[in-house]
Amino acid sequence: MLQGIIFDMDGTLTKPKVDFAAVERDIGAKVGFILDYAEQSSPEERARAMGILERFEEQAAMESELNEGVTEMLEFLQKKQLRTALLTRNSRKSVDTVLKKHNLHFEFIVSRDDAKPKPDPDPIFLLSKMMNIHTDHLLMVGDYKYDIMCGKAAGTRTVLLRYKEYVETEVIPDFEIDCIKDIVHIIEHFEKAKLNTHGKTNF
Ligand SMILES: [Mg+2]
């Protein structure tokens, strides 16, 4: 039975905005994932790189725009009494800026300040505890392969919001959608599966 849905933020609830090429330009090297680069760097370089990343993240959060249909979709989930959570590799500060700007509220939030970043499953295990929902009953929704890898490693069902060619063949999501509003159809799918088995669920 589906009880809770975990959403990625950048690119899933909001349109992707962080200009990672500009972050690299300011860092002064092609570094790939900034969090991985920072992790492997000296304390001084880590602090410098994270300072640059946080500056760009905050700018992107202030300028953020919601993906079409996000507000309606969250209202739908609330009516269905499904619990919702936010899981992001961003800082908690940028999460707060985005939520405040768009008047959104999540009871459960895990940022990189709270747990290891995706694709590590730790942040989902933490959310599972916070929400008091077993990972079998959670759905992880995101627009990047790390969201799917994280969900799979933690044992949740996964949904890929596909508008980029990001997912490699070895990480196949349970569901794919082109628009965040289509979450509604996935919920209906779960409800139908439940009905078909006379109250027992197939999932
Ligand atoms: Mg994303």
Side-chain angles (χ1 to χ4, degrees):
M1 191 172 61
L2 182 66
Q3 295 175 353
I5 306 189
I6 303 171
F7 291 96
D8 164 53
M9 188 172 78
D10 271 348
T12 301
L13 296 180
T14 60
K15 298 189 163 95
K17 268 271 170 22
V18 179
D19 184 350
F20 288 106
V23 178
E24 283 189 324
R25 197 177 58 227
D26 276 21
I27 287 175
K30 267 225 137 322
V31 296
F33 288 107
I34 317 296
L35 296 185
D36 296 342
Y37 170 74
E39 182 72 24
Q40 292 151 13
S41 299
S42 66
E44 295 77 20
E45 179 58 9
R46 183 179 312 152
R48 190 182 75 88
M50 291 307 288
I52 293 167
L53 177 62
E54 277 159 24
R55 185 159 49 79
F56 277 93
E57 271 182 351
E58 191 53 24
Q59 184 70 26
M62 286 190 292
E63 294 171 2
S64 65
E65 290 171 71
L66 288 184
N67 272 333
E68 196 200 332
V70 164
T71 311
E72 296 82 351
M73 184 269 303
L74 291 173
E75 282 168 5
F76 171 84
L77 299 182
Q78 205 175 9
K79 277 191 205 131
K80 293 281 178 192
Q81 295 187 315
L82 288 163
R83 306 180 99 177
T84 50
L86 192 62
L87 169 54
T88 176
R89 282 162 63 92
N90 284 40
S91 68
R92 180 58 191 254
K93 188 167 180 277
S94 68
V95 172
D96 291 342
T97 303
V98 167
L99 296 185
K100 197 170 167 215
K101 175 170 177 175
H102 302 290
N103 197 24
L104 295 179
H105 175 78
F106 282 88
E107 194 180 347
F108 308 100
I109 298 171
V110 167
S111 72
R112 68 162 177 262
D113 301 316
D114 308 305
K116 282 185 196 165
K118 294 173 280 187
D120 195 289
D122 266 15
I124 291 189
F125 293 138
L126 176 59
L127 276 171
S128 165
K129 260 191 217 147
M130 289 163 72
M131 300 168 87
N132 197 23
I133 301 176
H134 192 279
T135 54
D136 284 352
H137 307 302
L138 288 171
L139 192 64
M140 173 71 214
V141 184
D143 68 313
Y144 187 54
K145 66 180 177 186
Y146 278 9
D147 299 304
I148 308 307
M149 288 160 76
C150 177
K152 282 191 174 287
T156 72
R157 297 263 157 181
T158 53
V159 181
L160 176 73
L161 174 60
R162 183 186 275 283
Y163 55 92
K164 282 179 186 166
E165 291 307 314
Y166 262 152
V167 170
E168 292 158 7
T169 48
E170 73 268 25
V171 278
I172 298 170
D174 296 295
F175 303 92
E176 290 187 27
I177 52 177
D178 296 319
C179 170
I180 195 73
K181 286 190 287 192
D182 293 342
I183 286 290
V184 169
H185 303 306
I186 293 172
I187 305 305
E188 284 164 355
H189 169 90
F190 274 88
E191 286 178 339
K192 214 165 132 199
K194 203 174 145 192
L195 280 176
N196 286 344
T197 52
H198 306 287
K200 286 179 199 155
T201 169
N202 288 329
F203 294 103

